Every structure is written in structure tokens, then in C-alpha cells.
């Protein structure tokens, strides 16, 4: 029992807050937008810029891992369907 208490004190699970741009229950576009916003932010401000990390937390929460892997692969191959320039 104390092991569970230790784990819950280490990890805080949160969902992404409501985003008025995506009011419907289907969060596919929200996932994609947060992914592209993260990489645009990193390109403009650098990886250590704290507000960029909010986009990363959001897309990691919203996107299935398979999609993230696919998006990363597309970025590496230069076939990602959106511009990631700031």
C-alpha cells in the first residue's frame, strides 16, 4: 500500500485543459495542431523555452503513440504534411 502512495506522490496525471478552438469530442485536429505548434515554437524559440513544453505535454496526452511515431518519421523524411517553420 505504501508503494502505491509513493507512486501517486511522484506522478501527477493531468489531461489537457479545454481549448475553445476544438470544442467537439473528436480531438484529432487538436492533437495535430499541438504537435505542429510545438515544433514551430522550438524552431522559433529553442527547446528550452518553457511555453513550448505545454504544446509537447498536450500532444503527448492527446495523440496516440503510433501517430507521434508516424509524425516523427514524416518529419525526418521531409514528408510531413504541414510547414513547421515559425
Amino acid at each position: 500500500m505504501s508503494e502505491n502512495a509513493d507512486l501517486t506522490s511522484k506522478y501527477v496525471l493531468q489531461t489537457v485543459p479545454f481549448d475553445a478552438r476544438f470544442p467537439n469530442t473528436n480531438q484529432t485536429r487538436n492533437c495535430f495542431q499541438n504537435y505542429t505548434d510545438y515544433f514551430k515554437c522550438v524552431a522559433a524559440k529553442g527547446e528550452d523555452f518553457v511555453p513550448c513544453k505545454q504544446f509537447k505535454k498536450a500532444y503527448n496526452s492527446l495523440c496516440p503513440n503510433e501517430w507521434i511515431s508516424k509524425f516523427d518519421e514524416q518529419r525526418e523524411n521531409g514528408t510531413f504534411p504541414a510547414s513547421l517553420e515559425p
Side-chain angles (χ1 to χ4, degrees):
M1 184 75 173
S2 66
E3 186 175 319
N4 283 342
D6 291 340
L7 287 176
T8 56
S9 66
K10 286 183 183 179
Y11 301 103
V12 177
L13 298 177
Q14 295 178 321
T15 60
V16 178
F18 177 74
D19 188 340
R21 298 177 299 169
F22 308 101
N24 298 325
T25 56
N26 185 346
Q27 295 297 306
T28 303
R29 182 165 175 164
N30 193 353
C31 155
F32 186 79
Q33 189 64 52
N34 278 290
Y35 184 88
T36 56
D37 286 346
Y38 171 72
F39 286 100
K40 286 180 182 182
C41 184
V42 167
K45 301 289 186 176
E47 212 167 309
D48 295 330
F49 190 60
V50 176
C52 293
K53 293 179 182 182
Q54 180 61 32
F55 293 124
K56 186 172 186 173
K57 284 175 59 177
Y59 85 72
N60 276 317
S61 177
L62 292 167
C63 301
N65 292 333
E66 294 83 19
W67 291 9
I68 295 171
S69 298
K70 178 83 170 181
F71 293 160
D72 290 341
E73 184 180 310
Q74 289 175 336
R75 272 189 318 105
E76 291 169 6
N77 295 335
T79 59
F80 191 70
S83 171
L84 298 176
E85 298 297 318

